[in-house]
């Protein structure tokens, strides 16, 4: 991810709106309410965030929203 892409991605996150500390995606969302972004194809924002700050996601692995906020 380039610096410009990273800045754009970060600009779509509201880190202060929930008392739980959960980050809220403020850009495009799927009909089910999941944040989505584009990287040549539509991808879920929470999966991009996980890969940026934690590790690559293994095939078949489910990323859980522990706060239950989509």
């Amino acid at each position: 991810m380039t610096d410009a892409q990273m800045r754009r991605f970060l600009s779509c996150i509201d880190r202060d709106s929930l008392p739980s500390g959960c980050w809220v995606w403020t850009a495009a969302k799927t009909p089910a309410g999941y944040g989505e972004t584009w990287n040549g194809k539509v991808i879920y924002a929470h999966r991009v965030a996980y890969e940026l700050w934690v590790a690559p996601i293994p095939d078949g692995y489910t990323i859980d929203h522990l706060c239950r906020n989509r």
Side-chain angles (χ1 to χ4, degrees):
M1 181 176 280
T2 68
D3 286 343
Q5 290 170 319
M6 176 66 85
R7 283 192 301 277
R8 168 107 171 79
F9 184 80
L10 291 173
S11 75
C12 296
I13 299 170
D14 179 353
R15 298 177 213 171
D16 301 317
S17 65
L18 294 180
S20 66
C22 189
W23 293 3
V24 177
W25 185 252
T26 62
K29 295 181 182 172
T30 68
Y34 288 98
E36 64 183 8
T37 189
W38 181 264
N39 187 18
K41 63 180 181 174
V42 173
I43 52 176
Y44 290 127
H46 65 282
R47 294 181 67 85
V48 174
Y50 187 93
E51 290 194 337
L52 286 172
W53 286 288
V54 180
I57 302 170
D59 289 341
Y61 194 78
T62 300
I63 303 301
D64 190 9
H65 295 259
L66 298 177
C67 66
R68 301 295 178 234
N69 177 42
R70 293 181 182 176

